[in-house]
Amino acid sequence: MAERAGQKAQGSGGRTAGLDFPRPLTTVDVVIFTIRNDALHVLLVQRGAGENEPFPGAFALPGGFVDIARDRDLEACALRKLKEKTGVVSPYLEQLGSWGSAARDPRFWSATHAYFALLPASIADRALAADAQWFPLAGERVKPKLAFDHDEILAAAVQRLRNKVEYTSLPAYLMPEEFTLPELQRSYEIVLGRPLEKSAFRTRMLSADLIEPIAKMRKGPNRPAQLYRLKAAKEPVYFARTFNPPE
């Protein structure tokens, strides 16, 4: 309701009271990633089919108009949209960039500010909105054609994530509360799309002051595996070297 009201207030001329020049439509979109079924997924929402809706019935990234009464800044708007669509707060949110043109929205000149977020699979399905669902990524794309310029925004988010995973601890934010080192390594490999050397990965993770062991073991067909958790309120770790493909 607030989004539509904001759109209506600007009107077809895009003018705001007290200003003598048109104002662009201003939105925030969020690219939300998780790992499900051993693959990287992104959350998409299906747009309404109303008479005045652009791209009716198409899938798009979660987002919407900035609500100047509720959103103190762009990040607050991104957090609000994420909470509305997933029911949870992401452990990691990063501003991705801005896209704007006279052609991206058929209603008017539009600018969007994009963020990307990471969610553990253990909470990713807790309270999804009725119009939201997860889609697996094929490279930098998903199967449905996305509304607006969201294909371009999604590709940029995938590239940003994969580039940063080469030298940071971001996949730790995709993990459940408790996990093993092989499970953490597998998350890295899923995002990067290639295997990593086990011994070097283990050494890097244990020396990074990122995770801590807990007094529990994961039982399986082989010997029990030590369980770890992410250290509380820990910022991403930046490594001095990137992960090199195995010889």
Side-chain angles (χ1 to χ4, degrees):
M1 179 68 70
E3 291 175 7
R4 294 184 182 277
Q7 177 188 345
K8 184 177 180 181
Q10 292 197 351
S12 60
R15 296 183 183 274
T16 303
L19 299 175
D20 60 358
F21 57 91
R23 309 289 288 179
L25 302 176
T26 303
T27 61
V28 168
D29 293 302
V30 189
V31 186
I32 307 171
F33 294 112
T34 196
I35 291 178
R36 306 171 78 245
N37 303 320
D38 213 36
L40 189 64
H41 283 62
V42 64
L43 189 70
L44 300 178
V45 295
Q46 190 166 26
R47 293 184 57 78
E51 181 179 352
N52 297 320
E53 289 285 351
F55 305 98
F59 281 95
L61 298 170
F65 290 100
V66 172
D67 186 332
I68 61 175
R70 290 194 289 172
D71 302 326
R72 68 182 183 278
D73 54 27
L74 293 173
E75 182 173 320
C77 182
L79 289 169
R80 177 170 61 84
K81 290 299 175 183
L82 192 152
K83 184 71 177 293
E84 288 174 357
K85 295 303 180 183
T86 68
V88 299
V89 176
S90 171
Y92 186 82
L93 180 72
E94 177 180 322
Q95 190 166 19
L96 177 65
S98 298
W99 281 256
S101 75
R104 66 178 304 273
D105 189 322
R107 293 169 292 190
F108 193 64
W109 210 107
S110 169
T112 193
H113 306 278
Y115 287 75
F116 79 89
L118 305 177
L119 283 182
S122 55
I123 66 173
D125 291 320
R126 282 185 183 175
L128 286 185
D131 60 350
Q133 64 184 92
W134 294 103
F135 283 81
L137 281 155
E140 299 173 352
R141 303 288 180 181
V142 288
K143 188 174 183 179
K145 173 69 176 174
L146 301 186
F148 304 103
D149 49 6
H150 289 188
D151 285 303
E152 180 182 342
I153 296 173
L154 174 59
V158 174
Q159 290 176 1
R160 172 76 66 84
L161 176 62
R162 287 177 175 157
N163 288 342
K164 294 196 74 169
V165 166
E166 290 281 4
Y167 61 88
T168 72
S169 61
L170 287 193
Y173 296 105
L174 295 166
M175 305 304 295
E177 291 184 8
E178 301 173 357
F179 52 87
T180 66
L181 278 175
E183 289 168 347
L184 179 58
Q185 179 173 338
R186 182 59 187 149
S187 291
Y188 269 83
E189 292 172 341
I190 288 170
V191 176
L192 291 173
R194 68 171 193 268
L196 298 174
E197 201 281 318
K198 180 178 178 180
S199 178
F201 179 86
R202 180 181 180 88
T203 298
R204 180 173 292 196
M205 291 299 112
L206 294 180
S207 63
D209 193 34
L210 169 71
I211 59 176
E212 57 187 6
I214 60 176
K216 291 174 65 176
M217 305 290 282
R218 172 74 51 78
K219 295 182 179 180
N222 301 315
R223 64 180 183 179
Q226 175 65 55
L227 284 167
Y228 294 84
R229 65 186 175 197
L230 189 65
K231 287 192 174 181
K234 190 67 179 178
E235 293 295 321
V237 171
Y238 289 79
F239 304 121
R241 296 179 294 106
T242 60
F243 288 97
N244 294 318
E247 297 278 335

